[in-house]
Coordinates of all heavy atoms in Angstrom, one line a residue:
Chain Q
G74 N -13.9 17.7 27.2 CA -12.9 18.3 28.1 C -11.9 17.4 28.8 O -11.1 17.8 29.7
G75 N -11.7 16.2 28.3 CA -10.7 15.3 28.7 C -9.4 15.6 28.0 O -9.1 16.7 27.5
I76 N -8.6 14.5 28.0 CA -7.2 14.6 27.4 C -7.3 14.9 26.0 O -6.5 15.8 25.5 CB -6.5 13.1 27.5 CG1 -6.0 13.1 28.9 CG2 -5.5 13.0 26.5 CD1 -5.0 11.9 29.1
V77 N -8.2 14.5 25.3 CA -8.3 14.7 23.7 C -8.6 16.1 23.5 O -7.9 16.8 22.7 CB -9.3 13.9 23.1 CG1 -9.4 14.1 21.5 CG2 -8.9 12.4 23.2
T78 N -9.4 16.8 24.2 CA -9.7 18.2 24.0 C -8.5 19.0 24.3 O -8.2 19.9 23.5 CB -10.8 18.6 25.1 OG1 -11.8 17.6 25.2 CG2 -11.5 19.9 24.6
H79 N -7.8 18.7 25.3 CA -6.5 19.5 25.6 C -5.5 19.3 24.6 O -4.9 20.2 24.1 CB -6.1 19.0 27.0 CG -4.8 19.7 27.5 ND1 -3.6 19.2 27.5 CD2 -4.7 21.1 27.8 CE1 -2.8 20.1 27.9 NE2 -3.4 21.2 28.2
A80 N -5.4 18.0 24.1 CA -4.4 17.7 23.1 C -4.7 18.5 21.7 O -3.8 18.9 21.1 CB -4.3 16.2 22.9
L81 N -6.0 18.5 21.5 CA -6.4 19.2 20.3 C -6.1 20.6 20.3 O -5.5 21.2 19.3 CB -7.9 19.1 20.2 CG -8.6 19.4 18.9 CD1 -8.1 18.6 17.7 CD2 -10.1 19.2 19.0
A82 N -6.2 21.2 21.6 CA -5.9 22.7 21.7 C -4.3 22.8 21.5 O -3.9 23.7 20.9 CB -6.3 23.2 23.0
V83 N -3.5 21.9 22.1 CA -2.1 22.0 22.0 C -1.7 21.9 20.5 O -0.9 22.7 20.0 CB -1.4 20.9 22.8 CG1 0.0 20.8 22.5 CG2 -1.7 21.1 24.3
S84 N -2.2 20.9 19.9 CA -1.9 20.7 18.5 C -2.2 21.9 17.6 O -1.3 22.4 16.8 CB -2.6 19.5 17.8 OG -2.0 18.3 18.3
A85 N -3.4 22.4 17.8 CA -3.8 23.7 17.1 C -2.9 24.8 17.3 O -2.4 25.5 16.4 CB -5.2 24.0 17.4
G86 N -2.5 25.0 18.6 CA -1.7 26.1 19.0 C -0.3 26.0 18.4 O 0.2 26.9 17.8
V87 N 0.3 24.9 18.6 CA 1.7 24.6 18.0 C 1.6 24.8 16.6 O 2.6 25.3 15.9 CB 2.1 23.2 18.5 CG1 3.4 22.8 17.7 CG2 2.4 23.1 19.9
T88 N 0.6 24.2 15.9 CA 0.5 24.3 14.4 C 0.5 25.7 14.0 O 1.2 26.1 13.1 CB -0.7 23.5 13.9 OG1 -0.5 22.2 14.3 CG2 -0.7 23.6 12.4
I89 N -0.4 26.6 14.5 CA -0.6 28.0 14.1 C 0.7 28.8 14.5 O 1.2 29.4 13.5 CB -1.9 28.5 14.8 CG1 -3.1 27.9 14.2 CG2 -1.9 30.1 14.5 CD1 -4.3 28.1 15.0
V90 N 1.1 28.7 15.6 CA 2.3 29.6 16.1 C 3.5 29.1 15.3 O 4.3 29.9 14.7 CB 2.5 29.5 17.6 CG1 3.8 30.3 17.9 CG2 1.3 30.1 18.3
G91 N 3.7 27.7 15.2 CA 4.8 27.2 14.6 C 4.9 27.6 13.1 O 5.9 28.0 12.5
T92 N 3.7 27.4 12.4 CA 3.7 27.7 11.0 C 4.0 29.2 10.7 O 4.8 29.5 9.8 CB 2.3 27.4 10.4 OG1 2.0 26.1 10.7 CG2 2.4 27.6 8.9
L93 N 3.5 30.1 11.5 CA 3.7 31.5 11.3 C 5.2 31.9 11.6 O 5.8 32.5 10.7 CB 2.8 32.4 12.3 CG 1.3 32.3 11.9 CD1 0.5 33.1 12.9 CD2 1.1 32.9 10.5
L94 N 5.8 31.4 12.6 CA 7.2 31.6 12.9 C 8.1 31.0 11.9 O 9.0 31.7 11.4 CB 7.6 31.0 14.3 CG 7.3 31.8 15.6 CD1 7.7 31.0 16.7 CD2 8.1 33.1 15.5
S95 N 7.8 29.8 11.5 CA 8.6 29.1 10.4 C 8.5 29.9 9.1 O 9.5 30.1 8.4 CB 8.2 27.7 10.2 OG 8.5 27.0 11.3
L96 N 7.3 30.4 8.8 CA 7.1 31.1 7.5 C 8.0 32.4 7.6 O 8.7 32.7 6.6 CB 5.7 31.4 7.3 CG 4.9 30.4 6.4 CD1 3.4 30.9 6.2 CD2 5.7 30.3 5.0
A97 N 7.9 33.1 8.7 CA 8.5 34.4 8.7 C 10.0 34.2 8.7 O 10.7 34.9 7.9 CB 8.1 35.1 10.1
C98 N 10.5 33.3 9.3 CA 12.0 33.0 9.2 C 12.4 32.5 7.9 O 13.4 32.9 7.3 CB 12.5 32.0 10.3 SG 12.4 32.7 11.9
T99 N 11.6 31.6 7.3 CA 12.0 31.0 6.0 C 11.9 32.1 4.9 O 12.8 32.3 4.0 CB 11.1 29.9 5.6 OG1 10.9 29.0 6.8 CG2 11.6 29.1 4.4

Side-chain angles (χ1 to χ4, degrees):
Chain Q
I76 279 192
V77 177
T78 319
H79 185 250
L81 194 60
V83 171
S84 282
V87 168
T88 303
I89 292 168
V90 175
T92 305
L93 291 178
L94 275 179
S95 288
L96 267 182
C98 290
T99 313

